[in-house]
Amino acid sequence: MTDSAKPTLMVVDGHSLAYRAFFALPVENFTTKDNQHTNAIYGFLSMLVNLIKAEQPTHMAIAFDTSRHSFRTDEYPEYKATRSETPPEFKGQIPLLQDCLAAMSIPVLTKEGVEADDILATLAKQGSEQGFDVLVVSGDRDTIQLVNDEVTLLYPSVQGVSQLKRYDPVTVQERYGVRPEQYPDIAALVGETSDNLPGVPKVGEKTAVKWLTQFGSLDELLERSGEIKGVVGGNLRDHIDDVRRNRKLNRLLDDVELPVGPAELAVVPADVQAIRDIFARLEFRTLLPRVFDAVGTGEDPADSEPAVELPAPVESTVADVVSWLDAQEGEVAVSIVVSGGSPTRVGFAGLTELRETGWSEEAAAALRPWFESDAPKVFNDAKPQVKALLRAGIRIGGLAYDTLLAGWLLRPSLPDKTLSHLVDRYLGEKMPVADPTQLVPETDGATPAQEAWFTLRAAAALREDLPDSVASVLVDIELPTLLTLADMELAGVAVSHDVLSTFSAELGARTDGLAAEAFALVGREFNLGSPKQLQEVLFEDLQLPKTRKTKTGYSTDAAVLADLQESHPHPFLDLLLQHREATKLRQIIESLDSAIGKNGMAPDDARIHTTYVQTGSQTGRLSSTDPNLQNIPVRTEESRRIRSAFEVGEGYETLLTADYSQIEMRIMAHLSGDEGLIEAFNSGEDLHRFVGARVFGVEPSDVTSAMRTKVKAMSYGLVYGLSAFGLSKQLRIEQSEAKQLMVEYFARFGAVRDYLRASVMKAKEDGYTETIFGRRRPFPDLTSPNRVLRENAERAALNAPIQGSAADVMKIALFRIHSDLRAADLRSRVLLQIHDELVVEVAPGEWDAAEQIVRTQMAGAAELSVPLDVQVGRGRDWNEAAH
DNA sequence: AGACTCACGTA
DNA sequence: CGTACGTGAGTCTA
């Protein structure tokens, strides 16, 4: 407890605490948009703010090391020599942290040749002499020696930086069994691995305490070391010099010459604007009020800067809204409230004026010309609104910006899926959001017009941040894609309930039979779908050998079961695998069946309308949900029966499928410029046969299917950053053979490896990868000191430009096809996109025209150094059309 | 009810 | 110890 009559001096070891924060906080959550890591800064400041609040110091200073060099390294060059290199991404944060502290008007102290803890020791001594209560905050154990009746140590516990343990003389005695000033004696005997100070072998804390208690002091102990028996006695005598050295080095200097004394460290008001500026740069938002709360701002809170005032929405008649819209010259932001797929209200905003009105047939008719005009319109998450307009008979024109897409393009890994997220991040403001869990919300959400106003301002902020290449991806690729997806989702795809239910019934009968057989074999009934119960049966009842470990037990996945079947054949395993397969298919069928007619426009709609999530991936791909139509089974003959339920719809003639063959390999050939690979694609030869011939040194006609399988796995694996280990596992070959395969492969296609290496290197420098069209994906982890994180990032970074470029190409083809079909007045329409495949519903008599458009636009979506090959199929259903 | 894990479908 | 996704069942926790 501090005596409130005395001033309190708080001195902090900035370096050691920031370092702990650096490892405690996940860097992916603390990286600015220009890839500055901020986890150490954030963690340190957060802890400091809590400390200031809790301890209310009257005087304060933060000490930093200047470099690794100090009088200790002069005396003993090995001091701290085993410490690994300070990660550069930590070092880079220190100057920024010091800038923050400067803005907060907290003195930063450093001194050449001594460590931060020596500064702490000096200030602690001076402080206690001058009548301060002193709080020492450090993550270095050596500071324990500073503790006395006036000096308290706050030391981070193992739980992390936020939990500080308070050491006064009593707690030190309890914890270490000695008085604080004796702690360095213990440490000298035990040694300190992290400082590369070896102690006496076999002597730990217990022995050291025992000796010190017995002999009273370290000097006495060393003097009479001959009295100690046994091996440890010998060890002590052998290492007396080490102990003396340790004791010399771990004594903190308390007479360092400093430019200021405790009295000059009085807490003074912070520089509010400077804090705002640097926090804006570091993208700290929630920390801002906490810091202002903790350090005096010198301002009366009443007259602090007002937040930007939220304009009141102006409820207007439709006629007024229309004339207002017609008078606008710049961009207008729009926010349409959609309920049950249809508009119910609509709000508009310019930079200063807002308009809002209810939706009705009359409103739709009156607003339609403006919506269909080229007048520039800004949305947040336009797709559902564009769909709602389409349902109301309005095809939007002039879509100029979508803040949701812009935010995603800038930082594809973030879950910023709502306007309020974007407002928080890019405007630093809180948008009013009604609490959806409350029946009677305490706070009203923003009205549509107010949302539009936030959208317009967020768009301006995002435009500032978006690099040109990314902005062009937004305008030239994503926005046209958005409009296409809206039509595809509304169109849906016809799916036959009859086909599905027949198949489901068959599978149901089969799963029942399989389960019964399985239970008979095991001798009891249990839930085959429960991994937990299954483990009991496999590893206890059936006594099969334990498999690969998972977080909660042992794996029972298909690959593991197949391995088991080979090593310990058991009829149960086969039944289980068949049961799994059948139940999985049945699940898929059921979920598809229950999706038929949902979200459709007509009451008797027999189609499935998926939702494409345009911001659903980090690479630029789409994802599909509710239901996911991008993972409909295809691999086995039987599973393809599900695809045969996807039929051509009423009023249409056939389905057309078109897919890119080996688009990712082609993109890799283009990006790497590998002559062999480029020749492979230009030769017209089967890719894997061509590559196999080169790798194995045979004629293409002599490539066996085993050879082909191997190079095929290798080629595909390349795109994902496959290792020899992974390749051997997949091909079930020895790791040495996999390694040899990779050597041979790269001997013939070396430019591919060079490209992949260079591409990751460049990403490491830039902090992001880029697709052919300029889409970026940040990779802060490429410089992580954590090997697992770093290597995962390397593989993802290797894959991102390839997968991302393929996604770009497909999007370009997709919206051009959509646009050409409409421009040619065809009824044929694109229904599905499955990453490298499109499914088109072709109207009677339109096959030739539609096929022509699809082929032309897919093949011509990008100019690469290899051709883009397109395979087209036709049929009454998706399965038939696939051939 | 919501979060998590496992397993598995696709490109 | 191969990238990118979404879904459903079981299970645990609040």
Side-chain angles (χ1 to χ4, degrees):
Chain A
M1 288 294 115
T2 50
D3 179 349
S4 59
K6 288 166 89 177
T8 303
L9 168 66
M10 184 162 94
V11 288
V12 183
D13 179 349
H15 198 276
S16 75
L17 291 170
Y19 202 52
R20 283 181 183 245
F22 176 70
F23 287 106
L25 296 178
V27 71
E28 57 269 28
N29 300 345
F30 296 96
T31 306
T32 67
K33 56 183 180 289
D34 44 7
N35 273 306
Q36 171 64 49
H37 291 204
T38 58
N39 55 341
I41 306 173
Y42 185 94
F44 181 88
L45 290 179
S46 176
M47 177 214 68
L48 185 66
V49 161
N50 289 343
L51 268 177
I52 294 172
K53 283 288 280 182
E55 307 293 344
Q56 299 283 320
T58 55
H59 295 66
M60 208 169 13
I62 320 282
F64 285 88
D65 298 337
T66 46
S67 66
R68 198 170 278 189
H69 174 83
S70 71
F71 75 93
R72 293 185 178 86
T73 52
D74 287 344
E75 293 206 6
Y76 178 56
E78 289 83 2
Y79 179 70
K80 293 191 177 176
T82 49
R83 291 217 180 158
S84 52
E85 193 65 25
T86 318
E89 49 280 81
F90 170 72
K91 267 192 203 156
Q93 295 186 53
I94 293 297
L96 288 167
L97 172 56
Q98 294 178 345
D99 288 349
C100 290
L101 294 171
M104 291 162 73
S105 306
I106 299 174
V108 168
L109 299 178
T110 60
K111 189 166 173 75
E112 202 54 53
V114 303
E115 296 183 67
D117 285 331
D118 300 310
I119 298 175
L120 264 45
T122 303
L123 287 172
K125 180 165 180 242
Q126 294 174 359
S128 49
E129 284 168 0
Q130 293 172 25
F132 286 87
D133 276 324
V134 180
L135 284 170
V136 173
V137 187
S138 171
D140 191 328
R141 281 182 208 280
D142 288 335
T143 52
I144 290 170
Q145 61 187 279
L146 302 178
V147 173
N148 58 39
D149 287 340
E150 282 79 39
V151 180
T152 303
L153 169 66
L154 298 177
Y155 183 84
S157 69
V158 274
Q159 281 91 356
V161 240
S162 52
Q163 299 286 321
L164 292 173
K165 195 157 162 43
R166 182 176 287 266
Y167 284 106
D168 57 26
V170 176
T171 41
V172 171
Q173 180 83 37
E174 280 169 3
R175 166 66 181 81
Y176 294 101
V178 294
R179 296 186 306 281
E181 66 272 21
Q182 287 179 304
Y183 178 79
D185 299 340
I186 308 260
L189 288 164
V190 175
E192 180 67 74
T193 348
S194 67
D195 291 340
N196 195 28
L197 296 176
V200 181
K202 302 279 177 207
V203 171
E205 230 170 82
K206 288 242 171 73
T207 315
V209 170
K210 192 181 78 187
W211 286 347
L212 284 175
T213 319
Q214 189 183 337
F215 292 92
S217 74
L218 185 65
D219 284 340
E220 188 73 14
L221 166 65
L222 298 183
E223 197 72 17
R224 292 160 54 192
S225 60
E227 295 172 27
I228 307 220
K229 292 195 269 285
V231 183
V232 280
N235 284 347
L236 173 60
R237 289 185 286 281
D238 290 345
H239 290 83
I240 281 188
D241 287 346
D242 283 349
V243 174
R244 290 218 163 90
R245 178 206 59 213
N246 290 354
R247 185 62 186 87
K248 196 167 174 189
L249 291 178
N250 71 19
R251 181 186 314 279
L252 297 180
L253 299 185
D254 57 10
D255 54 359
V256 175
E257 258 192 59
L258 296 174
V260 289
E264 291 150 281
L265 298 173
V267 170
V268 294
D271 180 344
V272 175
Q273 194 49 49
I275 293 179
R276 281 187 200 282
D277 289 348
I278 186 149
F279 277 29
R281 184 143 69 89
L282 299 174
E283 298 173 12
F284 292 161
R285 279 171 249 284
T286 52
L287 203 52
L288 199 63
R290 289 172 62 203
V291 166
F292 287 155
D293 186 33
V295 302
T297 58
E299 286 177 13
D300 185 342
D303 60 32
S304 67
E305 194 182 322
V308 184
E309 203 174 321
L310 181 61
V314 179
E315 177 76 30
S316 314
T317 64
V318 175
D320 284 345
V321 171
V322 171
S323 65
W324 181 83
L325 286 171
D326 288 339
Q328 300 304 304
E329 303 206 334
E331 288 182 336
V332 171
V334 186
S335 174
I336 302 170
V337 182
V338 177
S339 178
S342 298
T344 56
R345 282 192 75 72
V346 57
F348 304 91
L351 275 175
T352 54
E353 285 195 306
L354 280 61
R355 290 292 185 280
E356 187 167 322
T357 190
W359 191 269
S360 61
E361 292 222 8
E362 295 72 44
L367 289 166
R368 185 172 162 174
W370 182 80
F371 271 119
E372 296 193 336
S373 75
D374 289 338
K377 303 163 187 77
V378 175
F379 283 80
N380 179 67
D381 195 9
K383 182 150 61 68
Q385 303 174 63
V386 167
K387 284 167 71 177
L389 289 175
L390 282 167
R391 287 171 195 262
I394 298 173
R395 183 165 290 276
I396 197 173
L399 176 61
Y401 215 76
D402 186 320
T403 45
L404 180 73
L405 291 177
W408 168 68
L409 285 171
L410 197 52
R411 314 184 74 173
S413 65
L414 290 181
D416 284 354
K417 296 303 179 208
T418 65
L419 181 57
S420 74
H421 282 134
L422 296 172
V423 165
D424 183 25
R425 185 179 300 279
Y426 297 100
L427 297 177
E429 298 171 27
K430 293 279 172 237
M431 190 179 88
V433 179
D435 184 348
T437 61
Q438 297 216 289
L439 282 171
V440 185
E442 282 170 21
T443 50
D444 289 336
T447 69
Q450 287 171 335
E451 291 209 3
W453 179 73
F454 278 112
T455 302
L456 195 63
R457 292 164 61 241
L462 280 157
R463 276 203 172 101
E464 293 255 315
D465 286 352
L466 236 55
D468 288 350
S469 80
V470 182
S472 85
V473 172
L474 174 63
V475 173
D476 300 336
I477 299 181
E478 298 300 344
L479 293 179
T481 298
L482 183 155
L483 298 172
T484 306
L485 294 176
D487 277 324
M488 289 164 61
E489 292 177 11
L490 284 177
V493 55
V495 176
S496 161
H497 166 76
D498 288 348
V499 172
L500 290 182
S501 65
T502 307
F503 194 11
S504 175
E506 271 181 53
L507 290 167
R510 190 191 310 166
T511 53
D512 291 351
L514 288 164
E517 274 190 73
F519 297 153
L521 271 176
V522 178
R524 65 187 176 99
E525 293 200 6
F526 65 100
N527 186 344
L528 278 164
S530 159
K532 199 167 161 242
Q533 295 178 36
L534 194 55
Q535 284 173 50
E536 284 175 32
V537 170
L538 288 172
F539 309 124
E540 289 166 34
D541 295 10
L542 299 184
Q543 288 289 309
L544 290 163
K546 301 265 169 64
T547 58
R548 172 170 63 84
K549 275 202 173 145
T550 66
K551 274 187 189 161
T552 52
Y554 297 94
S555 172
T556 65
D557 71 20
V560 157
L561 295 180
D563 281 345
L564 265 186
Q565 183 69 295
E566 224 170 82
S567 57
H568 295 74
H570 194 291
F572 174 78
L573 294 173
D574 202 42
L575 291 171
L576 175 59
L577 283 167
Q578 285 185 50
H579 185 267
R580 279 247 181 96
E581 203 175 313
T583 48
K584 179 74 181 176
L585 286 184
R586 201 152 170 245
Q587 268 172 23
I588 294 171
I589 291 165
E590 290 306 319
S591 68
L592 288 176
D593 198 37
S594 67
I596 295 177
K598 276 202 336 189
N599 311 318
M601 293 172 79
D604 59 342
D605 183 58
R607 303 174 74 97
I608 292 180
H609 305 265
T610 185
T611 302
Y612 289 103
V613 186
Q614 208 170 343
T615 58
S617 79
Q618 298 196 46
T619 52
R621 277 191 176 180
L622 303 174
S623 76
S624 156
T625 69
D626 194 26
N628 180 358
L629 295 187
Q630 290 180 320
N631 71 343
I632 303 303
V634 70
R635 292 200 205 285
T636 67
E637 177 63 41
E638 178 169 50
S639 71
R640 285 197 285 272
R641 266 180 77 182
I642 297 180
R643 291 198 169 209
S644 63
F646 288 69
E647 299 174 336
V648 61
E650 197 145 309
Y652 287 81
E653 191 175 57
T654 56
L655 290 182
L656 177 157
T657 66
D659 58 82
Y660 281 117
S661 57
Q662 293 131 357
I663 185 166
E664 294 193 345
M665 282 296 285
R666 286 170 199 265
I667 281 167
M668 202 163 65
H670 173 80
L671 289 173
S672 69
D674 186 284
E675 289 183 14
L677 211 49
I678 292 174
E679 194 191 330
F681 284 119
N682 285 321
S683 72
E685 179 82 68
D686 169 272
L687 171 73
H688 305 304
R689 184 167 292 279
F690 183 99
V691 172
R694 289 284 177 96
V695 168
F696 293 105
V698 298
E699 289 300 312
S701 55
D702 294 334
V703 172
T704 65
S705 69
M707 292 176 182
R708 192 175 178 282
T709 304
K710 283 177 183 169
V711 295
K712 185 177 172 185
M714 169 92 199
S715 290
Y716 279 109
L718 269 182
V719 180
Y720 305 138
L722 188 66
S723 62
F725 176 88
L727 187 62
S728 72
K729 222 173 86 171
Q730 198 203 321
L731 289 172
R732 294 167 162 267
I733 57 178
E734 289 299 314
Q735 217 170 308
S736 56
E737 190 187 341
K739 208 165 196 170
Q740 186 57 28
L741 175 61
M742 293 180 84
V743 167
E744 298 289 343
Y745 194 104
F746 286 135
R748 309 302 189 283
F749 302 96
V752 170
R753 181 191 45 195
D754 296 344
Y755 157 73
L756 292 171
R757 277 193 188 153
S759 139
V760 173
M761 285 282 290
K762 178 152 170 43
K764 210 164 276 194
E765 273 169 32
D766 298 343
Y768 60 86
T769 58
E770 202 163 21
T771 67
I772 298 173
F773 297 90
R775 179 192 306 276
R776 292 185 185 180
R777 176 172 171 190
F779 281 99
D781 281 352
L782 286 175
T783 52
S784 169
N786 178 324
R787 193 163 67 102
V788 177
L789 282 184
R790 188 179 60 247
E791 289 180 348
N792 284 342
E794 283 170 356
R795 286 190 299 275
L798 182 142
N799 173 262
I802 300 169
Q803 189 183 118
S805 296
D808 291 343
V809 168
M810 180 49 115
K811 281 178 171 171
I812 291 167
L814 172 61
F815 69 71
R816 287 184 180 167
I817 291 167
H818 175 257
S819 154
D820 281 7
L821 288 172
R822 293 186 58 80
D825 252 340
L826 299 175
R827 282 176 53 231
S828 301
R829 52 194 183 166
V830 187
L831 303 183
L832 303 177
Q833 188 259 40
I834 308 99
H835 307 306
D836 65 359
E837 174 185 5
L838 295 177
V839 178
V840 180
E841 198 167 37
V842 182
E846 296 185 356
W847 175 269
D848 290 344
E851 184 190 5
Q852 172 70 26
I853 287 170
V854 168
R855 281 191 183 278
T856 307
Q857 293 299 4
M858 282 180 74
E863 279 294 327
L864 306 183
S865 44
V866 294
L868 283 171
D869 184 43
V870 180
Q871 300 284 333
V872 172
R874 74 186 285 179
R876 296 281 306 171
D877 64 63
W878 191 4
N879 188 37
E880 206 177 282
H883 308 121

